[in-house]
Amino acid sequence: MVRDYWYAIATSAELKRGRPLALKRFGRDLVLWRTDDGIAVTDDRCPHRGASLSAGKVVDGCIECPFHGFLFRPDGQCTRIPAQGDQPPPKGYGPEAFVAREARDFIWLWWGEPRDELPELPWFADPEEPDERFYWAGFDETWPVHWTRAAENQLDFTHLPFVHANTIGRAVKEEMVVDTRVEGSRIRASLANQDLGDFFIELVGPNLWRNRIGGRGWIVVVFVPIDEEHTHIYIRYYQRMVALPVLGPLVAWAMNWVNRYILAQDKRVVLTQRPIRGDHKNGEMLVKSDGPIIAFRRWRHAELHKDDEA
């Protein structure tokens, strides 16, 4: 996994106050819970006897193990071992803890080394980005593929006339000139030889993707790594074409069903790809029109090996 980045790992709606949430992310079992100060995330394993902390309960902002009542703070430190009475637990006794934030109705986890100052949460540096003026609706599902395959599919223009021949593929020609621009962890692509207005796609590394639709609509996708063979995908449609309080959410909800159908078309093909992950060198013979995928693989390769170069 690319480290030292914020990853969106869940939605705000999934994490209920007073109820621990068990999630598998990055191949690790995690437990999340809400506190008065924000979001707590630790490994979902009590260091005492290996019980799942997510099966316990939240007590005064801490997580209580269901097995022997050990109590752990959001920073992972154990504060109470009931069987030992008033004797304080050893320092450093507890599960590994992670830094988490909540924004844009997502839960974000810092996957990397601790820092005194962490970078801003990734969203989009565009004055027309989705904000409180947009109505949105979303859905999510799990695919049995490495998250890179799902992300690369959304960077692939040339599959549109074939995989989506009866939907979005009708708007594009088979012959394409793909313009790819890279700025840091941002990869933006558009079609240079077709009149599609200000249509573009953009990936904000590591796992956030968007598709601009006429400046008044956006499709936002988050590819969440579960493990090496599974990806959880969150898709949202934001729109401000219809701003009426009743009709606005209804339009977003209706477009959600369109996106479900289109994603199902993608899934049918992506699940057949072998290997199940996209890599810098995996034997595939990419061509010029695969520019966004090439850029994504180069970026990941550089990030994964930056410590080697240092």
Side-chain angles (χ1 to χ4, degrees):
M1 288 299 305
V2 171
R3 294 184 63 83
D4 296 327
Y5 279 92
W6 288 104
Y7 284 80
I9 63 167
T11 64
S12 297
E14 292 176 277
L15 185 56
K16 311 297 183 184
R17 181 166 293 277
R19 293 171 54 185
L21 174 66
L23 289 177
K24 189 167 188 177
R25 299 291 186 257
F26 317 110
R28 298 178 66 159
D29 292 316
L30 305 175
V31 57
L32 290 70
W33 71 94
R34 292 188 179 277
T35 72
D36 291 339
D37 298 322
I39 308 297
V41 183
T42 71
D43 275 330
D44 191 14
R45 178 183 176 275
C46 181
H48 176 222
R49 297 289 304 284
S52 174
L53 293 174
S54 61
K57 59 184 179 180
V58 178
V59 178
D60 296 328
C62 300
I63 191 80
E64 183 183 85
C65 177
F67 205 177
H68 300 94
F70 286 38
L71 202 63
F72 301 97
R73 294 190 314 227
D75 65 1
Q77 174 62 43
C78 182
T79 63
R80 181 170 183 261
I81 301 177
Q84 295 184 181
D86 295 332
Q87 183 178 346
K91 290 185 178 180
Y93 188 92
E96 183 176 357
F98 302 88
V99 177
R101 300 281 188 270
E102 185 173 17
R104 304 284 188 175
D105 296 295
F106 280 113
I107 307 298
W108 306 79
L109 182 140
W110 175 253
W111 188 247
E113 297 301 318
R115 297 183 185 180
D116 292 335
E117 292 188 14
L118 294 173
E120 293 184 3
L121 294 172
W123 194 239
F124 304 110
D126 189 305
E128 296 294 329
E129 69 182 5
D131 58 21
E132 65 276 1
R133 297 171 297 170
F134 286 75
Y135 291 104
W136 65 270
F139 67 96
D140 60 285
E141 57 184 58
T142 298
W143 286 11
V145 297
H146 193 267
W147 74 275
T148 53
R149 281 300 194 193
E152 288 179 355
N153 178 71
Q154 300 302 323
L155 291 172
D156 185 342
F157 272 118
T158 57
H159 81 285
L160 296 178
F162 306 98
V163 177
H164 306 294
N166 65 338
T167 55
I168 54 177
R170 294 181 297 178
V172 296
K173 304 172 185 177
E174 291 183 12
E175 184 178 350
M176 300 181 186
V177 177
V178 182
D179 179 34
T180 305
R181 302 181 184 183
V182 181
E183 182 178 342
S185 63
R186 294 175 181 267
I187 301 170
R188 179 177 289 201
S190 58
L191 293 179
N193 68 327
Q194 301 190 33
D195 185 14
L196 297 176
D198 56 2
F199 175 90
F200 67 82
I201 59 175
E202 183 179 55
L203 185 129
V204 181
N207 70 331
L208 186 64
W209 178 96
R210 67 171 180 171
N211 172 199
R212 181 175 182 171
I213 306 172
R216 303 181 70 82
W218 297 88
I219 300 173
V220 175
V221 186
V222 177
F223 309 99
V224 185
I226 297 177
D227 54 30
E228 289 294 304
E229 299 181 351
H230 298 87
T231 301
H232 201 72
I233 302 174
Y234 294 97
I235 295 187
R236 290 180 177 177
Y237 178 76
Y238 293 82
Q239 73 86 22
R240 63 177 184 180
M241 294 174 288
V242 179
L244 295 176
V246 176
L247 291 180
L250 185 61
V251 170
W253 177 84
M255 282 300 299
N256 233 21
W257 285 100
V258 175
N259 287 333
R260 282 182 185 273
Y261 182 79
I262 293 171
L263 189 66
Q265 292 179 317
D266 284 317
K267 183 177 180 180
R268 182 181 64 85
V269 178
V270 173
L271 265 57
T272 70
Q273 289 183 279
R274 294 295 180 272
I276 65 171
R277 62 183 293 162
D279 277 315
H280 184 58
K281 293 182 180 179
N282 69 351
E284 294 178 348
M285 303 173 69
L286 301 184
V287 296
K288 186 176 181 180
S289 57
D290 295 318
I293 297 172
I294 294 170
F296 175 61
R297 291 186 180 184
R298 285 176 176 170
W299 172 78
R300 285 194 66 247
H301 182 78
E303 287 293 316
L304 290 170
H305 294 86
K306 61 185 177 183
D307 292 338
D308 299 341
E309 296 175 1

